[in-house]
Amino acid sequence: MHVAFVAPFLMEATLRFVAGAAALPGIRLSLVSQDPLERVPPGLRARLAGHWRVADAFEPAALVQAADGLGRRLGPIERLIGSLEQLQEPLAVARERLGLPGLPSSVAHNFRDKARMKDVLRAAGVPCARHALATSAAEIAAFAAAAGFPIVVKPPAGAGGAGTHRIDDATALARHLAAHPPTAAQPALCEEFLSGAEHSFDSVFIDGRLVFWSVSRYVPSPLTVMENPWIQWCVLLPRELEGFEDIRRIGASALGALGLQSGMTHMEWFRRPDGSVAVSEVAARPPGAQFTTLLSFAHDRDFYRAWPEIVIHNRFDPPPRRWAVGAAYLRGQGSGRVRRVLGLEAAQREVGSLVVEARLPEPGASQASGYEGAGHVILRDADTARVESALRRLVTLVQVELG
């Protein structure tokens, strides 16, 4: 089967999915990218059947042209896939023009347009935050008056927390509107601020059925981390999934309402103080921020290879959850490049036996602007409480200096 993998930029995480697809038996994999072929590591480059460079990988016409060109050169493209959230609508449109199977554009739009998503979810009875799509400052002010502060304002097609702002009062709202006035061309999605413990719900659907699910807990929420640069974010995947049956049921209902038939998803949700569930948003793609790595360690299964098998062959064998796993994201305070990392020796003594992967910040490296920081450490153990305690200790001991 000739498969084209669309990877606009050859980032490390994306290349792991590309490598997973290239490793599947019976697959000839071509790469469509804005980056040159020379950016692909030599070992992976040797396993590619072809490469087609495009100026804009988010433009459906460019993807159709790439698929046609690769098809003429190497034989017809039979699957067109990509792991980035921002690609899901362009990919769906291109597949429909090419007559290829995959996520329909109407379903991709349900997932990508967060305002439409919440309309669909609320109509289906799925609990989620109150929301409104605002095209003017007056509409945001009206929503704030109705919902009460705090509120959250973000792009309707955002990803990874980019452009998300918590607005606590009328003064903060006035400042926000002066800097980011919404328009008809660039509307803003306003949401009720959800309080409680934030989690993810990662899942696999095959032929409209939930066949695999996982829950993780954020410590603290990504928005809190973005607002407080001194916080080093942690994510915990407990070994035990008892007590999460409500989100399993609600998550399956939400994905069914949005129209998913087959694929891997990443949902964010809250456990409110009263114990109830509220869905924040969901994406029809594998999770980012090292979550795919965490799932792989928790289940002793390579999810970077499992995802392409799902979208290419519509096949997935659910693995048992064998371990509790957690990630600590190392962030420096202030600005500038990484000067040094403190506390590594103490951390090695105290929690080193649990470490299964470490990407430590390197002196001279720049720090990412988001909650992932300049590096991460992944811990694993059969005891969930031990992993949670070790994560808290790790982010206390290890400090990244910038300057």
Side-chain angles (χ1 to χ4, degrees):
M1 183 185 294
H2 188 191
V3 176
F5 194 120
V6 181
F9 312 108
L10 300 180
M11 300 176 292
E12 180 184 1
T14 304
L15 286 171
R16 295 181 75 170
F17 286 111
V18 175
L24 293 177
I27 295 298
R28 288 185 304 131
L29 190 71
S30 289
L31 182 65
V32 178
S33 180
Q34 295 175 204
D35 284 338
L37 182 61
E38 292 72 27
R39 291 283 305 276
V40 181
L44 178 56
R45 192 187 315 161
R47 294 156 61 190
L48 296 176
H51 172 268
W52 195 279
R53 193 173 184 186
V54 295
D56 185 355
F58 300 95
E59 171 52 55
L63 301 182
V64 171
Q65 183 181 36
D68 286 341
L70 287 166
R72 288 191 300 271
R73 183 186 301 171
L74 301 167
I77 295 292
E78 297 169 76
R79 296 290 188 276
L80 185 65
I81 66 173
S83 58
L84 290 183
E85 179 171 355
Q86 298 91 331
L87 271 176
Q88 299 315 308
E89 276 198 277
L91 279 171
V93 173
R95 281 193 296 258
E96 289 173 350
R97 294 179 185 175
L98 292 162
L100 298 178
L103 191 73
S105 60
S106 59
V107 176
H109 187 59
N110 283 345
F111 282 92
R112 188 73 184 116
D113 185 323
K114 307 307 183 185
R116 178 179 174 84
M117 172 193 297
K118 287 185 168 59
D119 288 338
V120 172
L121 294 181
R122 292 183 74 85
V126 175
C128 57
R130 288 179 289 170
H131 72 284
L133 190 64
T135 59
S136 68
E139 289 177 345
I140 294 184
F143 177 82
F149 290 108
I151 63 170
V152 174
V153 180
K154 59 186 178 181
T164 300
H165 303 273
R166 170 177 163 165
I167 311 296
D168 288 320
D169 52 37
T171 301
L173 179 58
R175 286 198 302 266
H176 176 82
L177 292 174
H180 308 283
T183 64
Q186 292 186 309
L189 177 60
C190 309
E191 292 183 356
E192 166 193 8
F193 178 77
L194 293 174
S195 61
E198 188 171 0
H199 302 71
S200 78
F201 175 85
D202 300 299
S203 70
V204 174
F205 255 51
I206 299 291
D207 294 329
R209 295 185 302 110
L210 179 70
V211 299
F212 168 85
W213 61 284
S214 168
V215 168
S216 67
R217 181 156 59 88
Y218 299 170
V219 187
S221 73
L223 181 56
T224 300
V225 176
M226 294 287 281
E227 293 175 336
N228 298 276
W230 59 270
I231 295 177
Q232 300 192 107
W233 189 45
C234 293
V235 175
L236 174 69
L237 277 66
R239 182 183 180 187
E240 308 81 13
L241 294 176
E242 293 81 5
F244 292 106
E245 286 299 320
D246 52 354
I247 186 57
R248 183 201 64 78
R249 183 183 67 257
I250 291 169
S253 296
L255 294 167
L258 292 168
L260 185 69
Q261 284 297 303
S262 295
M264 191 172 182
T265 72
H266 176 69
M267 176 185 292
E268 294 175 340
W269 63 280
F270 286 79
R271 176 77 71 191
R272 293 180 184 269
D274 65 2
S276 64
V277 166
V279 172
S280 176
E281 55 188 50
V282 54
R285 44 82 177 167
Q290 304 304 322
F291 277 64
T292 303
T293 304
L294 295 174
L295 288 169
S296 299
F297 279 123
H299 299 88
D300 287 330
R301 170 74 64 84
D302 183 358
F303 274 74
Y304 290 98
R305 179 169 171 165
W307 172 77
E309 188 170 14
I310 293 165
V311 295
I312 294 171
H313 294 304
N314 198 38
R315 184 172 66 216
F316 182 74
D317 182 20
R321 189 134 163 157
R322 301 183 184 278
W323 305 93
V325 181
Y329 297 87
L330 306 178
R331 304 171 77 215
Q333 298 182 46
S335 60
R337 296 183 177 272
V338 176
R339 291 182 57 193
R340 58 178 178 165
V341 183
L342 305 175
L344 291 176
E345 291 184 3
Q348 176 63 34
R349 287 194 302 270
E350 293 195 30
V351 305
S353 62
L354 305 186
V355 175
V356 291
E357 180 175 294
R359 304 287 177 88
L360 298 177
E362 296 184 1
S366 59
Q367 176 172 267
S369 59
Y371 41 74
E372 293 185 59
H376 67 269
V377 177
I378 296 177
L379 310 178
R380 182 172 76 169
D381 193 79
D383 186 337
T384 299
R386 188 179 184 205
V387 172
E388 182 173 12
S389 176
L391 284 174
R392 295 184 185 278
R393 187 62 179 150
L394 180 63
V395 296
T396 301
L397 291 169
V398 177
Q399 302 295 321
V400 180
E401 280 192 1
L402 303 179

